Amino acid sequence: MAQGPRENIDEADRRAGPIVLSVDAMGGDQGPKAVISGMAKSAAKNPDLQFLVHGDAAALRPLIAKAKLDDRVELRDCPDVVSMTDKPSNVLRHGQKTSMWSCIDAVKTGEAQAAVSCGNTGALMLLSVMRLRKIPGVHRPAIACLWPSRNPAGFNVMLDVGADIKADPRDLLQYALMGCSYARNGQEVRHPRIGLLNNGTEEHKGRPEMREAHSLISRAAKTADYDFVGFVEGVDIPSDRVDVIVTDGFTGNVALKTGEGTASLIRDLLREAFQYSPLSRLAAVLALTSLKRLQKRIDPRRVNGGVFLGVNGTVVKSHGSADATGVSAAIKLAFKLGQKDFTNRLAARVAEGSVLVEEDNRRSGT
Amino acid sequence: MAQGPRENIDEADRRAGPIVLSVDAMGGDQGPKAVISGMAKSAAKNPDLQFLVHGDAAALRPLIAKAKLDDRVELRDCPDVVSMTDKPSNVLRHGQKTSMWSCIDAVKTGEAQAAVSCGNTGALMLLSVMRLRKIPGVHRPAIACLWPSRNPAGFNVMLDVGADIKADPRDLLQYALMGCSYARNGQEVRHPRIGLLNNGTEEHKGRPEMREAHSLISRAAKTADYDFVGFVEGVDIPSDRVDVIVTDGFTGNVALKTGEGTASLIRDLLREAFQYSPLSRLAAVLALTSLKRLQKRIDPRRVNGGVFLGVNGTVVKSHGSADATGVSAAIKLAFKLGQKDFTNRLAARVAEGSVLVEEDNRRSGT
């Protein structure tokens, strides 16, 4: 684990003092109440948190007052809301007065260090790309999610899980570089192990573009300071073989939702199993603490927060159906990334990575 | 649920009397002992089962004798074994003396009604395609798996889970027709609901070829007598919204293994949770029956058996690491399909489906 001077970028002190998060209070399935409750949960634990809240001021003001957040919140009144069914292109054309637009713009102007929204993913991504612009050198931004795993950290990072349905080998290399930076800054993994998701671990497996991506990511490993473990399979996503799983947004989205569906089925079957007989109900009472511990490990609300990587600003997409616990997890993540000046670090990594890969390619004559 | 005369195909009586299964006893991770034990388990429950067993006769004979299977088994001595790392193309060129080759050929000659192997999937698929040939009209054969679900049957069917990494819209339509036939004959679902796996359920989602496949499968629904529920997401795979999930082999393979990985992580965390304290260990004892019931529902051994669809013969691929319980599940499935003369029914469905789709296309002028 030799640490080059570049590692100092990540070792720099965190930004001291208050962090302002820009929060889109509208657009989630559970309404503004869940968002404000989530903010209150986080604010109670963290005195350094300040909020810029965007939405219907008349509806939000009493909620904020009730949550005793008046001195932590600045409110921006926005007459419009992006709904879950709005087409992203329409939002871009006509959405200037929406809470989502205002939320992203507060990051653009530098008033806030990161944005959080539970709204329409496609619209949030398109607004982020168009208003914040892509980081130089990034072709396709990506959404990174956290996945409960056997790793000591308890989570793995996977990207892209749905920003773009396509990714060519160069994009997959950039996902590796960006995922690596996110694992360092968001998950405190110093020397991330990167895996490329495929339908088998043998080097001859998969589509030709997968093998090309394998070669690119492998060649960049040393210069960009990560371990490349090669191809990984679906079964490795929650494993301790790897810290970052790289894939295209179509496959990543299917995998993420398959994992959610499987976990939810098992949770329900477990509940049924413990309600089956008086004896099993007694067992459930005795096992309550154990079961709660398990529940906490695999609770999707705790890993709530897809991070948009590759745009000039930190944007955290909370699950549309997030409750207060879920929103609070997304806020905690946004705070951490804001405090670390994540966007600039990631941009530095991508720039440096790209340059080093070019040099490497020149040297190896490819 | 109007049933046309075509439905009679599926309502015909099962083949009476003994069914001969061709079993490749070599090549699984657990060796021939697990295979013979699995056969013994099945044979004890089912007097109509007969076996043609392929492999190293000197090693197999004592195992068969010990399992008291002598009168149910005909042994074919094969000097060679296909290993898990053998390249399929090499097996095709030099594998004439392997147990896998002999196993498939017994289906080709009609000596057995179905084949079962725990060996190398790629080699088994290539041998099946080259020795048995594709069913007329099928472009890409597929592997269909069973997935624990909320449906009354307890399982959904998904295909392709790894026969081919590519699939164009016409292939996906054929997967729908073949999956439909398998759900009828293997899972007793009369009027299967078909879903097309995508990164969202809205009709504008996904790659262009997904939207084309959507249109093809939708137009064939009435004539081929299934319900098309449209796009489904990963979270729907274990749901009760759908009976058959159609996808390309790359995505299906990743989804299958992601589901396996997630279930295995939760199983381990559950075990840990119940070993945490004396109280939780006591709870585990009380909950034993309930937990076993859950375990049985999600036990991957019970859903063991990927079926190759689209070749002239029924071939069941058992998991490489299958133990006796897993092998026995694969044998049960092969028996059921053999008894129903599945291959011919599927061929009829595909032929009929293709014709009807062509007619439909002509009528609608496309």
Side-chain angles (χ1 to χ4, degrees):
Chain A
M1 293 238 286
Q3 307 286 331
R6 293 189 315 285
E7 207 52 34
N8 295 336
I9 301 174
D10 296 321
E11 297 304 305
D13 282 340
R14 294 165 182 186
R15 176 198 277 260
I19 290 289
V20 180
L21 296 186
S22 179
V23 177
D24 172 13
M26 320 300 284
D29 299 334
Q30 308 228 5
K33 204 174 158 192
V35 177
I36 304 296
S37 302
M39 285 166 43
K41 259 181 180 256
S42 293
K45 287 184 221 154
N46 187 342
D48 284 338
L49 260 175
Q50 298 281 345
F51 301 100
L52 249 178
V53 176
H54 312 261
D56 175 359
L60 291 171
R61 208 167 281 121
L63 292 172
I64 292 166
K66 203 178 157 203
K68 299 192 171 57
L69 283 173
D70 294 281
D71 57 333
R72 311 280 287 269
V73 168
E74 188 187 325
L75 195 53
R76 296 275 161 92
D77 188 32
C78 309
D80 292 352
V81 177
V82 176
S83 82
M84 286 297 181
T85 53
D86 281 340
K87 278 188 93 170
S89 53
N90 274 343
V91 176
L92 185 65
R93 243 172 294 150
H94 310 294
Q96 289 84 345
K97 291 184 178 166
T98 60
S99 57
M100 190 184 277
W101 189 293
S102 177
C103 172
I104 295 294
D105 266 19
V107 172
K108 184 181 159 85
T109 58
E111 293 168 283
Q113 280 79 57
V116 176
S117 172
C118 307
N120 182 323
T121 309
L124 189 64
M125 185 41 112
L126 188 60
L127 284 186
S128 300
V129 169
M130 299 310 286
R131 302 297 297 161
L132 304 176
R133 296 282 160 194
K134 288 187 274 188
I135 287 174
V138 170
H139 178 217
R140 295 185 209 268
I143 304 176
C145 76
L146 296 177
W147 195 292
S149 82
R150 297 176 202 266
N151 271 335
F155 304 104
N156 289 339
V157 171
M158 183 160 82
L159 76 164
D160 172 27
V161 295
D164 205 312
I165 49 173
K166 281 183 291 188
D168 68 22
R170 287 251 142 196
D171 298 325
L172 293 170
L173 168 63
Q174 286 189 338
Y175 294 174
L177 296 171
M178 296 196 297
C180 178
S181 180
Y182 177 47
R184 281 207 182 87
N185 291 288
Q187 305 304 310
E188 327 281 349
V189 182
R190 287 284 179 80
H191 195 73
R193 292 161 303 165
I194 312 259
L196 181 59
L197 190 60
N198 201 358
N199 62 326
T201 53
E202 302 91 337
E203 294 213 0
H204 66 271
K205 282 268 184 173
R207 304 170 178 137
E209 59 267 32
M210 293 303 291
R211 297 197 288 275
E212 195 187 330
H214 185 289
S215 157
L216 282 174
I217 297 173
S218 171
R219 287 212 302 271
K222 203 177 152 204
T223 44
D225 202 19
Y226 55 75
D227 275 339
F228 181 49
V229 303
F231 288 139
V232 295
E233 301 182 287
V235 76
D236 298 313
I237 300 176
S239 78
D240 54 5
R241 278 194 62 206
V242 66
D243 302 300
V244 177
I245 296 106
V246 169
T247 186
D248 67 273
F250 182 86
T251 310
N253 188 273
V254 168
L256 177 65
K257 289 176 180 165
T258 302
E260 282 177 5
T262 308
S264 141
L265 174 69
I266 297 176
R267 249 193 321 269
D268 291 355
L269 291 175
L270 192 60
R271 196 174 300 123
E272 265 174 41
F274 277 107
Q275 282 168 350
Y276 186 74
S277 69
L279 191 65
S280 64
R281 281 194 290 274
L282 172 63
V285 173
L286 291 177
L288 203 61
T289 325
S290 307
L291 289 174
K292 277 198 174 152
R293 205 175 307 118
L294 168 68
Q295 173 68 26
K296 207 179 161 191
R297 256 318 279 287
I298 59 170
D299 186 351
R301 298 177 306 173
R302 280 187 65 232
V303 294
N304 183 37
V307 178
F308 290 2
L309 303 179
V311 292
N312 284 306
T314 298
V315 180
V316 175
K317 165 66 177 76
S318 164
H319 204 291
S321 62
D323 61 5
T325 304
V327 171
S328 175
I331 286 173
K332 187 178 170 188
L333 180 59
F335 174 83
K336 200 170 175 183
L337 295 173
Q339 208 183 28
K340 289 210 176 176
D341 197 15
F342 173 57
T343 304
N344 288 329
R345 291 184 184 195
L346 181 129
R349 280 276 163 198
V350 169
E352 180 190 62
S354 306
V355 168
L356 290 167
V357 172
E358 293 302 331
E359 278 175 9
D360 175 60
N361 285 349
R362 256 201 311 280
R363 268 199 305 276
S364 67
T366 54
Chain B
M1 293 238 286
Q3 308 285 332
R6 293 187 315 285
E7 207 53 35
N8 294 337
I9 302 174
D10 296 321
E11 296 304 306
D13 281 340
R14 293 166 183 184
R15 174 198 278 259
I19 291 288
V20 180
L21 296 185
S22 179
V23 177
D24 172 12
M26 319 302 285
D29 299 335
Q30 308 229 4
K33 203 175 158 189
V35 177
I36 304 296
S37 302
M39 284 167 45
K41 260 182 182 255
S42 294
K45 287 186 221 151
N46 188 342
D48 284 337
L49 261 176
Q50 298 281 344
F51 300 100
L52 248 178
V53 176
H54 313 260
D56 175 359
L60 291 172
R61 209 167 281 123
L63 292 172
I64 291 167
K66 202 178 157 200
K68 299 191 172 56
L69 283 173
D70 294 282
D71 56 334
R72 311 280 287 270
V73 167
E74 187 187 325
L75 194 53
R76 296 274 162 93
D77 188 33
C78 308
D80 292 352
V81 176
V82 176
S83 82
M84 287 297 181
T85 53
D86 280 339
K87 277 188 95 171
S89 53
N90 274 342
V91 176
L92 185 65
R93 246 173 293 151
H94 309 294
Q96 288 85 346
K97 292 185 179 165
T98 60
S99 57
M100 189 184 278
W101 189 294
S102 179
C103 173
I104 294 294
D105 265 19
V107 172
K108 184 181 159 84
T109 58
E111 293 169 281
Q113 280 79 58
V116 176
S117 172
C118 306
N120 183 323
T121 308
L124 188 65
M125 184 43 112
L126 188 59
L127 283 187
S128 301
V129 169
M130 299 309 286
R131 301 297 297 160
L132 303 175
R133 296 282 158 194
K134 289 188 273 187
I135 286 175
V138 170
H139 177 216
R140 293 184 209 271
I143 304 176
C145 76
L146 296 177
W147 194 293
S149 82
R150 298 176 202 266
N151 271 335
F155 303 105
N156 289 337
V157 172
M158 183 159 82
L159 75 166
D160 173 27
V161 296
D164 205 314
I165 49 175
K166 280 183 291 188
D168 68 23
R170 287 252 143 194
D171 297 326
L172 293 170
L173 168 63
Q174 286 189 337
Y175 294 174
L177 296 172
M178 297 197 297
C180 178
S181 180
Y182 178 48
R184 281 206 182 88
N185 291 289
Q187 305 305 310
E188 328 280 350
V189 182
R190 288 283 180 81
H191 196 74
R193 294 161 301 165
I194 311 259
L196 181 59
L197 189 61
N198 200 358
N199 63 327
T201 53
E202 302 90 336
E203 294 212 1
H204 66 270
K205 281 268 183 170
R207 303 171 179 138
E209 59 268 31
M210 292 303 292
R211 296 196 288 276
E212 197 188 329
H214 185 289
S215 158
L216 282 175
I217 298 174
S218 171
R219 288 211 303 271
K222 203 178 154 206
T223 46
D225 201 20
Y226 56 75
D227 275 340
F228 181 49
V229 303
F231 287 139
V232 295
E233 301 181 289
V235 76
D236 298 313
I237 299 177
S239 78
D240 54 5
R241 277 194 62 207
V242 67
D243 303 299
V244 178
I245 296 106
V246 169
T247 186
D248 67 274
F250 182 86
T251 310
N253 188 272
V254 167
L256 176 65
K257 290 176 180 165
T258 302
E260 283 177 5
T262 307
S264 141
L265 174 70
I266 297 176
R267 251 195 317 270
D268 290 355
L269 291 174
L270 192 60
R271 197 173 301 124
E272 265 174 41
F274 276 107
Q275 283 168 350
Y276 187 73
S277 68
L279 191 65
S280 63
R281 281 194 290 272
L282 173 63
V285 173
L286 292 178
L288 203 61
T289 325
S290 307
L291 289 175
K292 277 197 173 151
R293 206 175 305 118
L294 167 68
Q295 173 69 25
K296 207 178 160 192
R297 256 318 278 288
I298 59 170
D299 185 352
R301 297 176 307 173
R302 281 187 65 233
V303 294
N304 183 37
V307 178
F308 290 2
L309 303 178
V311 292
N312 285 306
T314 297
V315 179
V316 175
K317 166 67 177 76
S318 164
H319 204 289
S321 62
D323 60 5
T325 304
V327 171
S328 174
I331 286 174
K332 186 178 170 188
L333 180 58
F335 175 83
K336 200 170 176 184
L337 295 173
Q339 208 182 28
K340 290 209 174 174
D341 196 14
F342 173 57
T343 304
N344 287 328
R345 289 185 185 192
L346 182 130
R349 280 277 164 195
V350 169
E352 181 189 65
S354 305
V355 168
L356 290 166
V357 171
E358 292 302 331
E359 277 174 10
D360 175 61
N361 286 348
R362 257 202 310 280
R363 269 199 304 277
S364 67
T366 54

